[in-house]
Amino acid sequence: MTRLVLSTCFAAFTLLAVPAIATAAPANACALLSEAEAGKLAGAPLAETAKHDVKPAAENGNDSESSCGHFPKGYHIDTADGPPNSGVLVELHVFPAADDAKRFYDGVLRMHTQMQGGPGGGSVVMPVKGLGEGAYLLPTVLPNSTSKISTMTFLKGSVVASIQVWTKTGSADAIARGAAAQVLPRLH
């Protein structure tokens, strides 16, 4: 459910990007953070991997999207009734040019800023230094849930990256920062 919300929000802003020439091969989100690395960051075994890729096309603003989520054994994000006990989802949007990525990023930031104080009242965009251009955290509180959720979003050249973390123990913000610190230098 949460992935659906995040992906739907990103998809809505994909259409804002100006179509351009085709981009290079899409980045592979699963190559940027392994199952073992995600599990170590989350402090829990994450045995299920969910992958999703969308090829660039004029209809999606030439956005080459790749996502990779790591979740506890038996948890399937597409069919789950609620958030996982722990999980790390890396989502990349690769555009033909940095200007296209910046427009997309600006739209996502606007949306996240407008969501502040929404359901649960705890969502506040928090700028983060040293983890990519314009990096920010968006902690989210879901009504009737004990899961802590945080999303780190940042820009690097023609790539917009988002790392969403779920945890019932520990700090979702710290896990998201740790994942971003591993993902950022692996982006090219």
Side-chain angles (χ1 to χ4, degrees):
M1 176 175 87
T2 304
R3 177 175 180 262
L4 177 63
V5 170
L6 177 65
S7 294
T8 301
C9 292
F10 276 141
F13 287 104
T14 299
L15 297 176
L16 295 176
V18 176
I21 57 175
T23 185
N28 180 337
C30 286
L32 298 175
L33 190 69
S34 72
E35 178 182 307
E37 291 169 324
K40 185 174 180 180
L41 286 164
L46 301 176
E48 296 290 339
T49 300
K51 300 175 186 177
H52 177 76
D53 293 299
V54 176
K55 294 188 185 293
E59 295 81 26
N60 68 5
N62 290 310
D63 176 4
S64 177
E65 179 187 345
S66 177
S67 65
C68 185
H70 301 287
F71 302 99
K73 185 175 182 175
Y75 183 85
H76 301 284
I77 195 163
D78 294 327
T79 58
D81 290 334
N85 289 333
S86 59
V88 179
L89 174 72
V90 176
E91 187 168 62
L92 304 174
H93 293 268
V94 182
F95 292 90
D99 289 348
D100 297 327
K102 179 73 167 113
R103 275 190 291 279
F104 182 84
Y105 167 88
D106 288 344
V108 172
L109 177 58
R110 266 192 312 278
M111 180 200 58
H112 283 162
T113 301
Q114 291 170 353
M115 288 173 47
Q116 293 184 121
S123 298
V124 176
V125 171
M126 301 181 326
V128 175
K129 294 198 183 288
L131 288 173
E133 180 186 336
Y136 65 88
L137 279 166
L138 180 70
T140 304
V141 177
L142 293 178
N144 304 319
S145 175
T146 58
S147 288
K148 301 170 198 164
I149 303 168
S150 191
T151 305
M152 169 76 75
T153 303
F154 61 89
L155 185 62
K156 181 173 182 185
S158 63
V159 178
V160 178
S162 174
I163 300 168
Q164 190 164 43
V165 171
W166 298 262
T167 186
K168 289 201 179 220
T169 61
S171 167
D173 291 355
I175 297 167
R177 286 173 190 263
Q182 289 184 330
V183 167
L184 180 63
R186 296 173 183 172
L187 290 173
H188 40 54

